[in-house]
Amino acid sequence: MRVKNGVLVGVTYEDINSDGSFTFPSGITGIGSGAFNWCSNLKEIKIPEGVTSIGNGAFEYCRNLERIEIPEGVTNIGNDAFTGCISLASIKIPNIRCCIGNGFTY
């Protein structure tokens, strides 16, 4: 896992828990572009409070990702953030003011 200035910039297959979840390190304020792309073993993601931005292609082609929970503080979801996530069954987004690109195309 790689973090730069509070932004999660890279996650590998080995960083995903055996149950398909991911444990964020403390202090993360953003998820960088392409941070999780092609993490085929990722099944669910609960983005922690304190994260305000999800970058372009952040979860692109996480083909087994089924559930996403986005906190109230997120104000930007980049283009293609969840493109190719063909197993998505549940997306929990609170009533927030958020700029969403074409992040949920597949």
Side-chain angles (χ1 to χ4, degrees), residues 53-99:
S53 179
I54 300 171
N56 295 336
F59 296 92
E60 195 170 30
Y61 298 109
C62 292
R63 297 190 178 277
N64 294 309
L65 182 59
E66 299 170 355
R67 291 177 298 284
I68 304 165
E69 190 171 328
I70 299 173
E72 200 167 302
V74 171
T75 56
N76 184 58
I77 298 175
N79 290 331
D80 301 316
F82 299 97
T83 293
C85 296
I86 58 174
S87 297
L88 272 179
S90 173
I91 303 169
K92 184 175 180 182
I93 303 175
N95 187 15
I96 57 176
R97 293 178 187 241
C98 182
C99 177

Side-chain angles (χ1 to χ4, degrees), residues 41-63:
N41 57 333
L42 183 66
K43 292 184 179 179
E44 64 179 294
I45 194 83
K46 182 177 181 183
I47 298 170
E49 295 293 331
V51 170
T52 59
S53 179
I54 300 171
N56 295 336
F59 296 92
E60 195 170 30
Y61 298 109
C62 292
R63 297 190 178 277

Side-chain angles (χ1 to χ4, degrees), residues 2 16 20 24 40-41 90 98 102-103:
R2 294 185 330 264
I16 307 300
F24 282 86
S40 61
N41 57 333
S90 173
C98 182
N102 64 342

Side-chain angles (χ1 to χ4, degrees), residues 8-22:
L8 184 64
V9 295
V11 174
T12 66
Y13 185 89
E14 292 81 18
D15 297 322
I16 307 300
N17 300 323
S18 62
D19 66 354
S21 66
F22 177 76

